[in-house]
Amino acid sequence: MSLRDRLIERIARDGPLSVADYMDACLHDPQDGYYAVRPGLGAAGDFITAPHVSQMFGELIGLWAASVWTDLGQPAKVRLVELGPGDGTLMSDLLRAGRAAPGFLAAAEVWLVETSAPLRERQKAALGDHPIRWASRLEEIPTDRPIILIANEFLDCLPIRQAAWEGERWRERMIGLDDSGALVFSASPKPLGLRLPEADEAWGVFEWSDALTDFGRKIGVLIARASGAALFIDYGRDRPEYGDTLQALRGHAKEGVFDNPGHADLTAHVDFPAFAEAARAAGARGSAIRTQGNFLRALGIEARADALIRANPESTARIGRQLCRLIDPEAMGELFKAVCLHSAGLNPPGFEAP
Ligand code: SAH
């Protein structure tokens, strides 16, 4: 039975699903979830991410990680953890650039937190030479050593919930069935016990994510116990905003979120302030939330692009396009944000006041 048919049966039996339950099933259903069965990362698949746009992205994050290691006092052993490493491109570029810091790679014990079996295979193929450990959950990472953690486009997969404004009150936006038995958005009959933040335009749809704040808390605890720094880059907001950001992507195009359950990537904008606040409340220090453009510029992406162009003059136009895509406000530069949760006394690069 297809995932759609099973979801329809479940709703007919148990009532409407929250958006979070729907996302979770579409992404992780063991028989038919997108990441469990058919994750389509890369040019030939459904979507590409910053590491696929240019090697510069992973290289700068490699230098960032090496710099945090230096700031930690160059411990003989450090856990280098990536959450949701996709096809392994980011870690592979990071490790290559990390060679520039003598001793860093020898100290780094690499851990990948990944639930997707097909993606673990791709990571194994991409990172063949380097010893790797896999975990399915953050809680499996031991905390008896400092940690340097990175995650690109991981938080946007965490399930969100939505509320819709109904003229007089907010109700949770659920997923039910229409008269013909097809999936549709429906309003929960129960009033919503949420205090919504003030924003310039408080109307339409409001999103929140218990999964995101729970995860923020776990990151805060991890950093407080192990010491170190955790870098998160993703698309999302740096202040309260209203609007429906749930998005399905298949074959590099947006489609309706009910069009192909389990066959499309399903993500939403990350609420960075809520995530960082949860991590802070659990014991980590939080950096400012910066745009990806400002973060990468502060790490020296323009100088890196110049160096690549000098070494490959025939690729000047291509490298220029890649740089624009990563840092231009019209492309990924402003929609994508970066934040770092870290232990006291560290000054992770890229987050100094501009
Ligand atoms: N970071 C990569 C891939 C982003 S796609 C890149 O930038 O290209 C999202 C990644 O997160 C995939 O590897 C997916 O399998 C993983 N993922 C999604 N939800 C997860 C969860 N709950 N736990 C662990 N990994 C998860």
Side-chain angles (χ1 to χ4, degrees):
M1 204 194 247
S2 72
L3 178 59
R4 178 196 302 282
D5 288 343
R6 282 189 289 124
L7 286 168
I8 288 172
E9 207 178 76
R10 181 171 157 195
I11 294 168
R13 189 184 60 230
D14 302 333
L17 297 176
S18 67
V19 172
D21 288 341
Y22 181 71
M23 273 182 90
D24 193 48
C26 288
L27 295 179
H28 303 298
D29 179 83
Q31 293 162 40
D32 223 3
Y34 181 73
Y35 283 113
V37 177
R38 58 182 80 77
L41 262 82
D46 298 309
F47 64 99
I48 65 164
T49 58
H52 303 117
V53 170
S54 166
Q55 66 186 74
M56 292 186 284
F57 185 81
E59 288 170 350
L60 288 169
I61 293 182
L63 299 179
W64 179 90
S67 160
V68 171
W69 175 68
T70 303
D71 208 7
L72 280 164
Q74 305 198 331
K77 287 279 167 208
V78 68
R79 288 203 172 86
L80 178 61
V81 182
E82 184 176 1
L83 307 180
D87 64 359
T89 302
L90 171 54
M91 184 55 83
S92 156
D93 292 340
L94 181 161
L95 291 173
R96 194 179 57 252
R99 286 196 216 125
F104 173 56
L105 289 196
E109 182 183 291
V110 178
W111 285 74
L112 304 181
V113 180
E114 177 60 80
T115 44
S116 166
L119 285 178
R120 282 188 184 200
E121 287 306 315
R122 287 181 69 177
Q123 292 152 18
K124 213 174 279 175
L127 301 166
D129 304 342
H130 205 95
I132 305 282
R133 290 159 214 238
W134 275 270
S136 301
R137 291 151 47 85
L138 190 66
E139 291 87 331
E140 292 168 36
I141 310 288
T143 54
D144 56 341
R145 276 182 204 150
I147 282 179
I148 300 172
L149 182 149
I150 56 163
N152 184 59
E153 292 212 38
F154 167 79
L155 297 176
D156 63 6
C157 299
L158 296 181
I160 59 151
R161 289 166 71 185
Q162 290 186 329
W165 179 244
E166 295 224 311
E168 282 186 359
R169 73 187 104 205
W170 292 93
R171 288 186 189 277
E172 182 158 3
R173 205 171 180 219
M174 308 293 283
I175 290 155
L177 304 176
D178 68 8
D179 292 342
S180 68
L183 299 169
V184 278
F185 283 112
S186 65
S188 163
K190 281 183 275 176
L192 197 62
L194 262 189
R195 197 174 317 135
L196 300 180
E198 286 180 22
D200 294 344
E201 291 185 333
W203 51 268
V205 171
F206 174 76
E207 299 179 337
W208 77 103
S209 172
D210 302 325
L212 180 75
T213 44
D214 284 350
F215 203 79
R217 212 167 296 131
K218 287 179 191 167
I219 290 292
V221 168
L222 182 77
I223 292 297
R225 287 201 183 134
S227 83
L231 172 67
F232 289 86
I233 302 177
D234 224 306
Y235 76 145
R237 49 187 178 271
D238 54 11
R239 66 183 76 99
E241 262 172 21
Y242 287 71
D244 174 9
T245 72
L246 186 65
Q247 167 177 294
L249 262 185
R250 200 163 68 99
H252 304 277
K254 286 187 195 178
E255 60 173 34
V257 297
F258 303 136
D259 289 358
N260 292 289
H263 291 257
D265 189 27
L266 203 54
T267 59
H269 285 197
V270 173
D271 184 347
F272 275 94
F275 174 67
E277 184 45 41
R280 269 195 290 261
R285 303 285 168 100
S287 72
I289 300 163
R290 298 200 81 178
T291 64
Q292 173 169 300
N294 285 340
F295 174 66
L296 293 177
R297 263 193 291 265
L299 293 183
I301 194 167
E302 286 149 324
R304 179 69 189 131
D306 284 346
L308 278 176
I309 285 171
R310 273 196 306 279
N312 308 277
E314 72 290 352
S315 302
T316 302
R318 185 175 54 83
I319 295 165
R321 278 195 305 273
Q322 295 173 343
L323 176 68
C324 283
R325 185 146 178 202
L326 290 175
I327 68 174
D328 255 25
E330 311 288 294
M332 300 174 80
E334 226 165 78
L335 177 59
F336 281 72
K337 311 286 191 302
V339 74
C340 180
L341 289 319
H342 58 88
S343 42
L346 287 185
N347 272 311
F351 293 98
E352 305 85 355

